[in-house]
Amino acid sequence: MTVYDDTEENGMNERNALLDFPGADQLASAGLVEPLSEQALARVLTEVEAAVATAGATAPTGGTGRVGPAAGGGTVTSIRGPSRRRRVLIGMLATAAVAAGVVTYTHPGTTPSNAGTHSGARADTAAVFLDDISTVAATQSAATGKYWKSHTTIADRYISQSMREYIVTNGKAATKGKRPDWQFGPKDLDWKGLEQLTTDPAQLLALLQTPPRPKSISPFDQAATLLCDSPAGPKLRAGLFKAMAGLKAVKLVGQVKDSTGRGGTAVEYAEAKSVGRVIVDPKTSAILEYTFTWTAGPSKGKVTRYTVLSSGFTDKIG
């Protein structure tokens, strides 16, 4: 019997050897990185292609190795030479990956990699991620009720079909009066208007991209508000995620944790003076947390955070 031994002279096995290059740790934890210009990235890729061609031209046909006895009477073949070259190439490819702004996320329905199975993590864009989440949202069960309840880290909020808002803190209910309508493009939507809103992604995107009104919030924030703070049904939520995917400034951040420690996938939208971010549960499409951060002006550094522990329909308050 012949046993393949992927252990090198320094004691590393094949997997560890392949990961033994400068920058491996940084690549693993890079998350989102700003992409290089097209010209700079082209130079990186050209260098990688040249290195691959050089390695292919100089690699020995039979490899470099040795044969010796193995436990149980077999033989052990140790392959050493090519793996060193591969580590160099992988290091260069890793540099190109970071330069390209690659991020990963765990696809809906997959198991985290630390559970011992393939996680389904891959490099993607915000558009691909939001398109995947749209599919998850569309499969959720539809429901109805007299109130829409949001259980947050601060209080429980209820919105009635007549748009009256109630806050329950420490078991005590208080009426806040009529809640402002949801802003969406040129429209101001109450509960009934929300039910009549189109679910077509292209039409939703067109509404989001209409010229902004005075004091209007960003298109990203408009969509995020409906997703985390309204009784939007599965079809509308699916359409909203797809519409968000059409916003050119949306970026995929990757796997993060919210303020309570729950894991999710974040996307964000940067404007001139602020950044909006939502953390999405990829298994359910629920918005775990929304944050709005001022990046310039007198409020620079100020963060508004809205963390939703659970939400859904109910027929009573409390």
Side-chain angles (χ1 to χ4, degrees):
M1 180 179 69
T2 299
V3 180
Y4 174 74
D5 178 16
D6 66 353
T7 302
E8 297 200 349
E9 289 178 337
N10 60 8
M12 287 192 290
N13 61 26
E14 179 79 1
R15 179 181 182 278
N16 291 335
L18 290 176
L19 294 176
D20 181 32
F21 60 85
D25 293 338
Q26 291 88 336
L27 177 65
S29 60
L32 175 67
V33 292
E34 292 299 323
L36 295 175
S37 66
E38 292 184 4
Q39 294 83 357
L41 181 57
R43 288 197 299 271
V44 172
L45 295 178
T46 299
E47 292 175 2
V48 171
E49 290 172 354
V52 171
T54 301
T58 59
T61 57
T64 301
R66 65 175 183 271
V67 178
T75 58
V76 177
T77 303
S78 177
I79 308 296
R80 297 192 306 274
S83 62
R84 290 195 181 90
R85 283 186 291 276
R86 278 181 289 172
R87 288 204 299 277
V88 174
L89 295 179
I90 289 172
M92 297 184 70
L93 289 169
T95 301
V98 173
V102 170
V103 295
T104 63
Y105 74 91
T106 302
H107 283 267
T110 60
T111 304
S113 56
N114 59 9
T117 59
H118 179 60
S119 68
R122 64 176 183 174
D124 273 317
T125 64
V128 173
F129 168 72
L130 290 168
D131 187 68
D132 285 348
I133 292 301
S134 173
T135 301
V136 177
T139 62
Q140 301 302 299
S141 300
T144 59
K146 294 181 179 180
Y147 304 95
W148 176 257
K149 176 185 177 182
S150 297
H151 175 41
T152 74
T153 52
I154 300 174
D156 290 344
R157 301 173 62 250
Y158 296 80
I159 301 174
S160 71
Q161 294 186 20
S162 61
M163 296 297 288
R164 293 193 67 82
E165 187 173 21
Y166 304 85
I167 302 295
V168 177
T169 307
N170 298 324
K172 296 181 179 180
T175 304
K176 288 192 65 176
K178 193 175 186 300
R179 185 193 187 285
D181 295 343
W182 292 286
Q183 182 183 132
F184 197 80
K187 300 176 178 290
D188 289 319
L189 305 169
D190 58 12
W191 188 300
K192 184 176 181 180
L194 190 68
E195 292 177 339
Q196 296 173 345
L197 183 63
T198 179
T199 61
D200 178 77
Q203 294 182 38
L204 289 170
L205 179 59
L207 290 173
L208 289 174
Q209 293 177 329
T210 55
R213 296 176 293 168
K215 297 183 179 180
S216 64
I217 58 178
S218 75
F220 179 85
D221 293 327
Q222 293 175 31
T225 298
L226 291 191
L227 286 166
C228 72
D229 193 35
S230 83
K235 290 184 179 180
L236 177 55
R237 287 177 55 80
L240 288 168
F241 278 119
K242 279 185 174 289
M244 289 178 75
L247 299 174
K248 294 183 179 180
V250 176
K251 292 184 178 180
L252 178 63
V253 177
Q255 298 180 45
V256 299
K257 291 185 178 181
D258 70 5
S259 58
T260 67
R262 295 175 299 174
T265 303
V267 293
E268 65 182 23
Y269 182 91
E271 295 189 280
K273 296 183 178 182
S274 63
V275 173
R277 173 185 286 197
V278 291
I279 302 176
V280 186
D281 181 345
K283 294 182 180 179
T284 65
S285 78
I287 303 296
L288 303 179
E289 188 170 81
Y290 166 81
T291 57
F292 181 88
T293 305
W294 288 101
T295 56
S299 299
K300 183 178 180 180
K302 182 180 179 181
V303 179
T304 300
R305 189 183 310 277
Y306 185 68
T307 307
V308 183
L309 302 178
S310 63
S311 61
F313 290 96
T314 183
D315 288 325
K316 63 180 182 179
I317 297 175

